[in-house]
Amino acid sequence: MTSTKQLNRISKFLSLILRHNPEAIGIKLDSNGWANIEEIITKTNKIRHNEFRTLHSSLIKEVVRKNDKKRFSVSTDEKYIRANQGHSLHVDLQLQPTSPPEVLYHGTASRFLTSITKHGLKPQQRQHVHLSTDVDAAIAVGQRYGKPIVLRVKAQLMSKQGFEFYQAKNNVWLTNSVPEKFISIFSSHAS
Ligand code: HQG
């Protein structure tokens, strides 16, 4: 059985190439974000000194299956893989606009609050602003950047006013931006 540590390392590596930098191993994604699994394996295993010399398709499928946030999908013919969300690259995930719940949460670091209060939530380096239905998930996201703070977004009101929302395959909610007037502080957590 593959260790959790090894699966996490592969998950991080797949996130890098499927969301941000496929050129790192000399592959291209198609316009919908899919990459050929055999090509990932061949090109990764060719790179000298890489830590995944033993990468093979059953290992990739294990990562997809066991991933805590269901970050990846495999195509029905099992030849292609893509990230479900989190892209900085412009890919079309072919998501349909969906009516969101009344409230969604966004976890961030307290040091970003002044800027968010002024400019609203922006996608920054990514394609979308990422939101969740789950406060604990939002805390975990915010913690990556410092002292976490959870913001409450009036998603349904935004939707009624014409802002589009999409639900990624792993249930993360995506939108293009969130103006300040729809945001309030839900909670801050001392870390
Ligand atoms: C902040 C991970 C200043 C924003 C997570 C965030 C998520 C602003 C940071 C997914 C701002 C961007 C995305 C403004 C937004 N001024 N700061 N106007 N607007 N920010 O990593 O949402 O685990 O690009 O609050 O779980 O943290 O990798 O976005 O703190 O689902 O699968 O700018 O990535 O998924 O940071 O995370 P990020 P995020 P994985």
Side-chain angles (χ1 to χ4, degrees):
M1 214 179 62
T2 323
S3 71
T4 309
K5 198 174 159 199
Q6 175 73 342
L7 293 177
N8 284 343
R9 274 160 56 195
I10 297 168
S11 170
K12 284 203 159 76
F13 169 72
L14 289 175
S15 289
L16 171 77
I17 61 169
L18 296 174
R19 292 172 171 178
H20 312 296
N21 190 11
E23 291 82 17
I25 56 163
I27 62 160
K28 281 191 162 55
L29 308 184
D30 76 8
S31 59
N32 303 128
W34 294 104
N36 184 291
I37 294 175
E38 276 314 312
E39 199 184 351
I40 292 176
I41 293 165
T42 313
K43 299 232 165 121
T44 302
N45 288 343
K46 254 188 205 158
I47 297 171
R48 256 177 228 263
H49 309 305
N50 94 78
E51 51 185 316
F52 308 114
R53 273 196 173 278
T54 53
L55 196 62
H56 48 84
S57 71
S58 59
L59 202 45
I60 290 186
K61 281 169 193 162
E62 191 178 353
V63 171
V64 174
R65 203 174 57 246
K66 292 188 178 166
N67 195 256
D68 57 346
K69 281 176 73 175
K70 298 198 182 339
R71 291 178 174 87
F72 312 104
S73 289
V74 169
S75 59
T76 39
D77 64 8
E78 302 203 340
K79 287 186 180 161
Y80 299 89
I81 184 171
R82 75 175 175 187
N84 288 326
Q85 38 78 209
H87 298 80
S88 58
L89 292 170
H90 280 262
V91 299
D92 177 7
L93 293 172
Q94 296 172 301
L95 300 172
Q96 296 304 315
T98 307
S99 176
E102 189 182 346
V103 166
L104 286 168
Y105 300 96
H106 177 87
T108 189
S110 56
R111 65 195 159 98
F112 298 146
L113 199 58
T114 311
S115 171
I116 293 172
T117 307
K118 205 165 164 191
H119 306 290
L121 285 168
K122 303 281 180 200
Q124 308 293 53
Q125 311 304 317
R126 305 203 195 238
Q127 257 191 297
H128 295 103
V129 171
H130 287 57
L131 302 162
S132 70
T133 51
D134 177 23
V135 174
D136 287 339
I139 294 170
V141 171
Q143 245 156 9
R144 296 174 307 147
Y145 294 121
K147 187 180 163 194
I149 185 162
V150 176
L151 305 177
R152 188 177 180 274
V153 171
K154 288 182 183 164
Q156 213 171 79
L157 184 63
M158 279 181 71
S159 169
K160 282 185 185 142
Q161 295 189 16
F163 291 86
E164 287 186 339
F165 285 80
Y166 308 90
Q167 195 171 18
K169 213 167 164 218
N170 62 350
N171 292 329
V172 169
W173 284 85
L174 307 170
T175 194
N176 291 333
S177 65
V178 181
E180 195 275 324
K181 64 178 174 179
F182 299 106
I183 302 170
S184 57
I185 295 176
F186 177 73
S187 66
S188 56
H189 296 256
S191 54

